[in-house]
Amino acid sequence: MAEHESLEFGKADFVLLDNVSMEEFMANLKLRFEKGRIYTYIGEVVVSVNPYRAMNIYGRDVIEQYKGRELYERPPHLFAIADAAYKAMKRRNKDTCIVISGESGAGKTEASKYIMQYIAAITNPNQRAEVERVKNMLLKSNCVLEAFGNAKTNRNDNSSRFGKYMDINFDFKGDPIGGHINNYLLEKSRVIFQQEGERSFHSFYQLLRGAPDSLLRSLHIQKDPKAYNFIKVGGQLKSCINDGADFKAVADAMKVIGFTGDEIQTVYKILATILHLGNLTFGVDGDVTLIENTKLVSVIRELLSTKEENVEKALLYRTVATGRDVIEKQHTTQEANYGRDALAKAMYERLFCWIVSRINDIIEVRNYDAKIHGKNTVIGVLDIYGFEIFQNNSFEQFCINYCNEKLQQLFIQLVLKQEQDEYQREGIPWKHIDYFNNQIIVDLVEQQHKGIFAVLDEACMNVGKVTDEVFLQGLNTKLAKHAHYTSRKLSPTDKSLEFDRDFRIRHYAGDVVYSVVGFIDKNKDTLFQDFKRLLYNSSNSVLKAMWPEGKLRITEVTKRPLTAATLFKNSMISLVENLASKEPYYVRCIKPNDVKSPLLFEHERCRHQVEYLGLLENVRVRRAGFANRQTYPRFLQRYKMISEFTWPNHDLPSDKDAVKRLLQGCGFDHDVAYGKTKVFIRTPRTLFSLEEQRAEMVQRIVLFLQKVWRGTIARMRYRRMRAALTILQAYRRYKVKSYIREVNRRFKNVRSMKDHGRHVKWPTPPKVLRRFEEALKSIHSRWWAWTLIKGLSPEETLQVRAKVAGLEALKGQRADLGLQRAWEGNYLKRDSPDTAASFTLVSSDLQRKDKFMRVLFSCNVRKINRFHKSENRAVLITDRHLYKMDPLKQYKPMKSIPLYNETVLSWIPSGRADQLMSGVIQVTGLSVSPGKDQLVVFHTKDSRDLVVCLQDMVPANESRIGELVGTLLSHFKSEKRKLQVNIASPIQCSMNGRKCTVIVEPKINQSQPDFTKSRSGYILAVPGN
Ligand SMILES: Nc1ncnc2c1ncn2[C@@H]1O[C@H](COP(=O)(O)OP(=O)(O)O)[C@@H](O)[C@H]1O
Ligand SMILES: [Mg+2]
């Protein structure tokens, strides 16, 4: 019930006619045709009238208007039906098919192309490359199939001479992922013969008119079709076909589809071979049959890549196996002609089937796994040869018309019969609408034993000479009483029928007179084995592959092949079964006139088509009937969310009650009927409205589900995190524990170890315990040190303290601190044994006088005096004083410097009383150099620093600076006093109040360190090497 179209264009749906009568139907059809409205609905069936002119209604903008729309939202169009089929497939996961019917030239092929274009245009919004590839292949394949399968007939310049059913496979997202083409009975007799005004298949003319000269030369053919017997009838016909341009388009398409260069060349060679075959003539010489134009044989040999004598032999002889013997039987010229024609037809048919199978290889669905990708659904498009009546109707027309009977039967079954039966079954009040059921004609053709095909097959099975007339006699006896069959014998007065030649069938679409001439041959469809072997043995692998049965040896008994009629019948039955298993959509094409005029609406011609297509009955059934029916559970499943009574589950006694409740709630009660198992919805509008409400609710449900699901996910994630954390903690505890356990194990016997665990390797701690490990290590170190020092004597303790102090002060800043040896401190006695007695004397004297407790250090030194002269002296450092002594005068003390301020002064050397009294004399610091020399500067508070270099040591060159520094520091520390220690070079000091520097310089030939004066102070020259 299309809208959005003004009434001036007539009624967009025949259901809206005021009266369903032929007059009104025709008036509406005519009005719409004249107004350029070529499409009209009968419910969901599209009636299409061939406009015979280019219509501007297939562009991108129009596609957009129909995309995703419901049927009745837009003016009638093929696109709407294509969209409906697509939606049904996508929404309900249903396989659908679009059946396009109508007589030859009514516009079926064009319609199928527009439908394909539409589907291609609305799918694959994401531009997936693979899907684009598939779509391109599907569209391109058309062009190739039309070149080889279509021809100009008297009814249609581009008449399909084969049936085509194309399945398009879609993935769960609704994108095309592949396809498959079934082809039906190619009218191959056209290869060798065409009626007046007709042409052979386009491919021949395309080759002659479009191929470059070089190609033509290599194929040994010339441009003029008149030169070839097989195609000369249609060679000079005028039409708007542009063969030259089509040749290029087809060649390109073949390339795009994926035909190899070799394959394309072979295609051309086969076409050329067929043309040459047509020009072969046979003659007789005595009783020998021969080829008159033998030159052609070598051309054919070259094109077929076989041996020349084999070509000739295959054309002139037939190998026959009689029991074990194999003999070669020569053909008569008649047989040779028959063989040649059969070869030409068979080669072309094979070529065509091979092209289809190559296309199928390429577009076939790949890598689809229903488990992963969901069900793959199919839209089938059927474009089959239309019903036709020619001047001379032969076996092919008979098959074609039978095919149309079958399709009409399917239409009747699905649209008229099933629907009415269903209303009855479901108990819906219904007044039966009568229609003509063509099952009787279908039976006439295909019934076992009695049908025309059966009679034909029977005739073919007879041994001996079987003629077409015998077949006709068979028909006459078997079908004499059949209402739809007649012949001259049965109705002798009918002059339109020829005796022994014609029979007439009253088809649903009209009477057709068939001539039985050729029926037997065409049905047997014999091709001598010799040809099959010839082609199989070609060195052209593409050609060879088309003839696999050529490999059978002549003696191998093969089953009698099925006849052409049986093959065709079987293929039709399976086609109809296939269509019936899908949800069908119909396009009914009507041809407005026989002269391809865009203006002419031949009333009678159209009326006839409307009548035999059963369109009026269609309208009646549709009008009284219902647009949609669904079982109650299914209906509920789909729409239960739009009513509170049914969502999420109803508590009514039955689904039927629930559906009633739901529909009453929506206010649709008047537009529906309740059957026993199904609910019937009259107008599509109601269904659409239900769909709309559902879509709205689905959004909410989706939101709700999302909400719940998100919550669930979050909770799941939270629980996982918690678990991970627990595991983490346990693991960490475990790591810590095992670390501690390991430390315990390794250090268990640390007390009894010789080195108290110094050698023990620490285990690697977990990251968190790095600092803990440091602490542990330091605890161990301390404990270890403590165990070392706790057994020391007081003397040893002092020494260790001194060494520690020395190490702290000098570590890294001076080499050789002498830590390894014992620090004796009081070295003078050892170094100068000869004078030791005097030193001991002076020392005890001083101890008495100055009351010192112990000697910290003593040593011989070289010293700079006030007059910049160096002299030998000795120093003695006690816990209270630093004494400078003169070794040459029995160690007479020459100077005494308190280590720090004393309150009580017991001994004052002469001439220094003033300074001492003021308390300014005291040692404030030490300076040593970073080198190995034994230089030391004692800084005093009165700026009269004492600059000395230790010397005369035993053993010689013993390094004592470390000991001196360490001992003094340690002592000062124990007295809680500060002593400044500098390590520097040069050393800054004050002599007699003047600042100066002391530099250490190695000198060659210097046997002992000694001081000399320099400009800024002094140089201590040390032995250099
Ligand atoms: N929708 C259309 N728009 C324009 N011309 C059309 C249309 N349908 C058919 N024709 C014309 O009619 C001719 C025959 O149509 P075609 O589809 O080949 O018929 P069929 O397949 O039914 O035998 C086409 O070649 C074209 O010229
Ligand atoms: Mg066609």
Side-chain angles (χ1 to χ4, degrees):
M1 270 162 258
E3 288 175 353
H4 311 294
E5 223 179 26
S6 140
L7 271 185
E8 66 173 300
F9 302 118
K11 305 238 159 95
D13 192 324
F14 288 110
V15 171
L16 301 175
L17 291 178
D18 298 326
N19 287 305
V20 184
S21 67
M22 186 54 96
E23 289 69 46
E24 276 202 30
F25 191 102
M26 290 307 294
N28 192 45
L29 192 67
K30 182 161 190 266
L31 175 65
R32 286 183 67 75
F33 175 73
E34 284 164 359
K35 298 272 183 186
R37 296 295 189 270
I38 60 169
Y39 300 120
T40 314
Y41 290 139
I42 302 175
E44 286 182 354
V45 173
V46 176
V47 178
S48 157
V49 185
N50 188 344
Y52 282 121
R53 64 186 162 99
M55 305 283 290
N56 188 22
I57 52 169
Y58 305 108
R60 188 75 235 186
D61 48 334
V62 182
I63 289 176
E64 284 304 323
Q65 280 175 32
Y66 283 87
K67 192 171 160 186
R69 294 292 173 169
E70 297 298 325
L71 217 53
Y72 47 85
E73 281 189 279
R74 295 279 183 264
H77 202 296
L78 281 176
F79 292 168
I81 211 87
D83 205 271
Y86 182 71
K87 269 202 301 277
M89 179 209 67
K90 224 176 143 176
R91 269 190 199 156
R92 286 181 275 132
N93 225 2
K94 275 227 165 177
D95 287 348
T96 58
C97 65
I98 301 174
V99 180
I100 309 166
S101 58
E103 50 188 77
S104 181
K108 299 180 296 296
T109 302
E110 295 295 313
S112 81
K113 285 191 271 189
Y114 288 128
I115 287 171
M116 294 285 295
Q117 268 171 31
Y118 179 79
I119 290 174
I122 60 162
T123 53
N124 198 25
N126 302 328
Q127 297 283 304
R128 276 159 56 212
E130 173 57 18
V131 177
E132 285 303 301
R133 188 190 76 89
V134 168
K135 289 201 307 198
N136 197 20
M137 297 293 150
L138 291 173
L139 294 179
K140 279 272 182 330
S141 64
N142 238 336
C143 156
V144 179
L145 290 179
E146 285 195 9
F148 289 89
N150 288 22
K152 172 180 163 49
T153 66
N154 284 320
R155 319 200 147 248
N156 181 352
D157 283 355
N158 183 33
S159 179
S160 318
R161 306 317 297 167
F162 69 109
K164 184 179 78 179
Y165 172 73
M166 183 188 262
D167 263 337
I168 312 168
N169 298 72
F170 295 83
D171 63 9
F172 68 99
K173 293 201 299 297
D175 285 335
I177 49 168
H180 184 88
I181 297 167
N182 278 317
N183 57 312
Y184 298 95
L185 189 69
L186 179 77
E187 186 201 37
K188 63 180 170 180
S189 61
R190 186 169 293 273
V191 172
I192 57 163
F193 174 78
Q194 305 93 40
Q195 307 198 18
E196 201 59 44
E198 302 203 342
R199 300 207 315 181
S200 185
F201 296 97
H202 297 321
S203 54
F204 292 107
Y205 310 93
Q206 288 176 0
L207 180 68
L208 297 194
R209 300 220 168 102
D213 290 341
S214 55
L215 175 59
L216 291 178
R217 234 176 293 125
S218 75
L219 299 173
H220 305 284
I221 51 179
Q222 57 188 86
K223 275 185 178 317
D224 186 6
K226 275 182 292 187
Y228 299 100
N229 292 333
F230 279 168
I231 62 168
K232 70 178 171 204
V233 173
Q236 62 270 55
L237 284 178
K238 286 249 156 15
S239 76
C240 49
I241 302 171
N242 185 345
D243 293 306
D246 288 348
F247 176 81
K248 289 183 189 64
V250 172
D252 282 348
M254 286 201 283
K255 245 187 251 154
V256 171
I257 291 173
F259 284 69
T260 65
D262 266 357
E263 288 173 337
I264 297 176
Q265 282 308 313
T266 305
V267 169
Y268 296 146
K269 282 179 185 168
I270 292 173
L271 293 180
T273 302
I274 292 169
L275 292 178
H276 290 307
L277 276 176
N279 288 359
L280 271 182
T281 51
F282 301 96
V284 272
D285 183 8
D287 54 0
V288 178
T289 312
L290 45 77
I291 297 168
E292 285 172 340
N293 34 9
T294 44
K295 253 198 197 156
L296 279 181
V297 177
S298 59
V299 171
I300 291 171
R301 176 207 61 78
E302 183 192 325
L303 294 172
L304 297 182
S305 310
T306 56
K307 293 209 179 91
E308 186 153 345
E309 61 274 20
N310 290 1
V311 176
E312 186 165 340
K313 225 173 101 194
L315 285 163
L316 293 178
Y317 292 89
R318 189 175 164 202
T319 318
V320 197
T322 54
R324 290 233 187 105
D325 298 331
V326 175
I327 51 163
E328 265 153 20
K329 196 164 162 276
Q330 191 184 249
H331 286 320
T332 61
T333 46
Q334 199 194 352
E335 284 167 340
N337 277 315
Y338 175 85
R340 175 201 62 200
D341 290 353
L343 175 63
K345 288 190 287 186
M347 280 182 77
Y348 194 81
E349 189 183 42
R350 283 292 160 103
L351 173 65
F352 185 72
C353 292
W354 174 83
I355 289 173
V356 173
S357 75
R358 282 291 288 128
I359 293 175
N360 280 337
D361 288 344
I362 288 155
I363 61 176
E364 150 195 74
V365 179
R366 286 194 207 113
N367 309 326
Y368 196 91
D369 185 344
K371 274 202 209 102
I372 303 169
H373 303 106
K375 188 184 164 210
N376 114 29
T377 40
V378 163
I379 294 184
V381 180
L382 179 72
D383 165 29
I384 211 152
Y385 13 56
F387 186 83
E388 62 192 15
I389 314 170
F390 285 127
Q391 210 69 52
N392 176 26
N393 302 293
S394 180
F395 181 70
E396 288 82 2
Q397 277 65 49
F398 183 72
C399 288
I400 289 172
N401 293 342
Y402 157 67
C403 160
N404 282 274
E405 292 284 0
K406 288 289 280 184
L407 293 179
Q408 173 68 6
Q409 180 59 40
L410 182 73
F411 176 79
I412 287 171
Q413 286 287 338
L414 297 182
V415 178
L416 303 180
K417 185 164 183 295
Q418 264 183 21
E419 184 148 341
Q420 299 202 66
D421 289 353
E422 181 161 44
Y423 296 142
Q424 223 136 50
R425 235 190 356 261
E426 288 285 331
I428 304 279
W430 183 256
K431 189 168 161 289
H432 187 77
I433 290 158
D434 230 4
Y435 56 89
F436 170 68
N437 189 342
N438 73 335
Q439 183 62 46
I440 181 167
I441 309 171
V442 173
D443 287 344
L444 169 66
V445 179
E446 69 174 21
Q447 216 176 24
Q448 288 201 328
H449 310 305
K450 284 192 290 192
I452 296 179
F453 279 157
V455 176
L456 180 59
D457 278 358
E458 202 177 303
C460 289
M461 298 265 264
N462 283 338
V463 277
K465 192 97 185 98
V466 202
T467 58
D468 295 320
E469 291 86 64
V470 174
F471 160 59
L472 184 58
Q473 283 158 22
L475 290 182
N476 286 338
T477 30
K478 285 249 165 90
L479 302 169
K481 299 220 171 68
H482 201 288
H484 291 262
Y485 174 87
T486 187
S487 68
R488 185 69 182 268
K489 182 148 181 248
L490 301 177
S491 33
T493 51
D494 191 339
K495 293 251 170 61
S496 63
L497 297 169
E498 190 80 27
F499 270 118
D500 291 337
R501 194 193 75 188
D502 298 340
F503 67 92
R504 179 163 54 218
I505 303 282
R506 171 155 297 165
H507 282 289
Y508 78 103
D511 293 357
V512 181
V513 176
Y514 298 96
S515 150
V516 291
V517 177
F519 264 61
I520 295 283
D521 276 346
K522 284 173 179 173
N523 190 39
K524 276 188 180 163
D525 198 19
T526 350
L527 178 69
F528 301 135
Q529 280 288 335
D530 304 69
F531 289 125
K532 297 180 186 169
R533 275 197 299 280
L534 174 75
L535 297 172
Y536 175 76
N537 288 320
S538 161
S539 58
N540 178 338
S541 57
V542 181
L543 182 62
K544 186 185 174 88
M546 294 182 202
W547 294 92
E549 71 271 53
K551 80 164 160 266
L552 293 180
R553 255 175 294 126
I554 184 71
T555 45
E556 287 178 76
V557 188
T558 50
K559 241 175 58 189
R560 184 198 285 264
L562 291 177
T563 60
T566 305
L567 286 173
F568 187 69
K569 185 179 82 178
N570 293 345
S571 70
M572 279 305 120
I573 290 173
S574 81
L575 169 68
V576 167
E577 268 171 16
N578 181 14
L579 295 175
S581 74
K582 301 190 161 76
E583 191 167 296
Y585 289 82
Y586 279 95
V587 179
R588 312 287 265 164
C589 296
I590 289 178
K591 190 174 179 177
N593 60 67
D594 282 324
V595 291
K596 297 166 194 156
S597 156
L599 303 171
L600 208 57
F601 186 89
E602 283 179 28
H603 189 275
E604 191 39 42
R605 208 171 176 327
C606 295
R607 193 200 61 75
H608 179 61
Q609 292 171 71
V610 169
E611 189 174 86
Y612 75 66
L613 287 174
L615 297 186
L616 220 53
E617 292 90 335
N618 191 179
V619 177
R620 290 204 183 99
V621 171
R622 181 72 204 191
R623 217 150 107 118
F626 298 86
N628 183 278
R629 71 227 50 198
Q630 296 177 40
T631 59
Y632 292 114
R634 223 199 117 76
F635 182 91
L636 272 184
Q637 159 115 22
R638 189 157 181 88
Y639 302 110
K640 63 179 180 177
M641 68 288 292
I642 63 179
S643 162
E644 70 222 36
F645 295 111
T646 49
W647 177 258
N649 290 303
H650 67 83
D651 52 3
L652 293 155
S654 71
D655 282 353
K656 184 174 175 175
D657 293 315
V659 170
K660 268 189 186 163
R661 196 60 173 271
L662 189 154
L663 287 167
Q664 275 160 8
C666 300
F668 293 137
D669 214 21
H670 62 277
D671 199 41
V672 298
Y674 303 100
K676 287 182 185 137
T677 66
K678 289 178 178 174
V679 57
F680 292 78
I681 300 169
R682 195 173 301 275
T683 59
R685 167 166 306 286
T686 300
L687 194 68
F688 178 58
S689 169
L690 285 169
E691 278 291 326
E692 257 186 344
Q693 292 184 42
R694 175 181 184 274
E696 198 183 303
M697 286 309 293
V698 163
Q699 268 192 1
R700 287 205 231 159
I701 293 171
V702 167
L703 272 182
F704 174 72
L705 289 178
Q706 275 180 348
K707 196 177 80 183
V708 174
W709 180 233
R710 285 213 179 103
T712 307
I713 290 178
R715 273 189 290 279
M716 263 160 45
R717 202 176 292 149
Y718 167 72
R719 275 198 293 275
R720 259 207 303 274
M721 249 156 73
R722 276 277 301 270
L725 213 64
T726 310
I727 293 169
L728 213 72
Q729 279 167 351
Y731 182 65
R732 199 180 277 171
R733 260 200 307 279
Y734 157 76
K735 287 292 269 188
V736 167
K737 273 188 187 160
S738 42
Y739 172 74
I740 290 173
R741 214 173 291 135
E742 184 60 17
V743 172
N744 269 335
R745 192 183 67 74
R746 292 190 189 186
F747 287 89
K748 204 154 114 200
N749 302 318
V750 73
R751 277 173 226 281
S752 55
M753 286 176 197
K754 227 175 172 176
D755 64 349
H756 298 299
R758 286 296 272 189
H759 75 284
V760 174
K761 201 172 168 292
W762 287 79
T764 319
K767 225 173 178 175
V768 283
L769 291 186
R770 293 244 171 100
R771 294 194 42 204
F772 176 71
E773 183 202 32
E774 278 167 25
L776 266 190
K777 278 184 174 169
S778 117
I779 289 171
H780 174 253
S781 292
R782 280 156 179 271
W783 174 80
W784 173 79
W786 177 75
T787 50
L788 277 192
I789 60 172
K790 73 176 174 191
L792 296 182
S793 64
E795 294 297 300
E796 286 169 327
T797 308
L798 282 175
Q799 210 181 109
V800 168
R801 289 223 173 104
K803 282 184 176 177
V804 170
L807 193 67
E808 277 174 356
L810 301 178
K811 190 182 176 187
Q813 306 197 59
R814 233 191 110 91
D816 192 9
L817 302 182
L819 296 169
Q820 269 71 28
R821 57 180 179 79
W823 284 3
E824 291 174 15
N826 200 354
Y827 288 106
L828 262 176
K829 275 188 265 178
R830 187 173 98 188
D831 291 352
S832 311
D834 300 346
T835 51
S838 1
F839 172 69
T840 312
L841 215 65
V842 174
S843 176
S844 8
D845 209 23
L846 285 174
Q847 182 163 35
R848 223 178 325 105
K849 263 200 286 170
D850 285 349
K851 298 200 172 49
F852 66 79
M853 301 294 289
R854 62 185 183 105
V855 173
L856 300 183
F857 192 77
S858 72
C859 189
N860 291 312
V861 300
R862 190 78 176 159
K863 175 215 172 247
I864 283 282
N865 70 9
R866 254 181 297 166
F867 312 105
H868 316 305
K869 288 269 161 28
S870 47
E871 11 179 53
N872 287 336
R873 290 288 183 266
V875 290
L876 167 66
I877 305 170
T878 69
D879 54 353
R880 306 188 65 165
H881 289 89
L882 165 63
Y883 303 100
K884 186 176 75 180
M885 296 164 157
D886 189 347
L888 294 180
K889 293 181 182 167
Q890 286 84 40
Y891 294 102
K892 184 182 152 217
M894 300 178 67
K895 187 172 178 181
S896 151
I897 308 168
L899 293 186
Y900 29 81
N901 267 347
E902 297 281 348
T903 41
V904 181
L905 295 170
S906 53
W907 180 81
I908 305 158
S910 54
R912 293 272 175 268
D914 50 337
Q915 290 170 359
L916 265 177
M917 288 312 284
S918 61
V920 290
I921 303 183
Q922 80 181 55
V923 175
T924 57
L926 290 178
S927 284
V928 296
S929 85
K932 282 184 171 168
D933 57 85
Q934 298 296 302
L935 173 69
V936 58
V937 177
F938 297 94
H939 299 285
T940 59
K941 203 164 183 185
D942 64 349
S943 302
R944 289 167 192 276
D945 296 351
L946 184 59
V947 180
V948 299
C949 178
L950 310 185
Q951 65 172 4
D952 297 340
M953 287 158 289
V954 177
N957 299 332
E958 192 171 70
S959 179
R960 289 182 184 157
I961 292 295
E963 178 175 354
L964 174 56
V965 172
T967 308
L968 274 178
L969 274 173
S970 164
H971 175 65
F972 269 69
K973 200 175 162 198
S974 68
E975 292 293 323
K976 304 204 168 52
R977 292 184 191 264
K978 267 199 71 179
L979 178 71
Q980 180 71 40
V981 175
N982 302 318
I983 303 110
S985 173
I987 294 172
Q988 306 291 333
C989 58
S990 308
M991 292 285 274
N992 303 322
R994 280 216 325 273
K995 294 219 178 299
C996 61
T997 60
V998 184
I999 301 173
V1000 180
E1001 263 182 26
K1003 273 222 176 90
I1004 299 169
N1005 299 332
Q1006 180 82 25
S1007 60
Q1008 289 290 320
D1010 204 355
F1011 292 100
T1012 51
K1013 174 85 181 81
S1014 78
R1015 260 179 55 208
S1016 56
Y1018 307 95
I1019 297 170
L1020 172 66
V1022 295
N1025 37 19

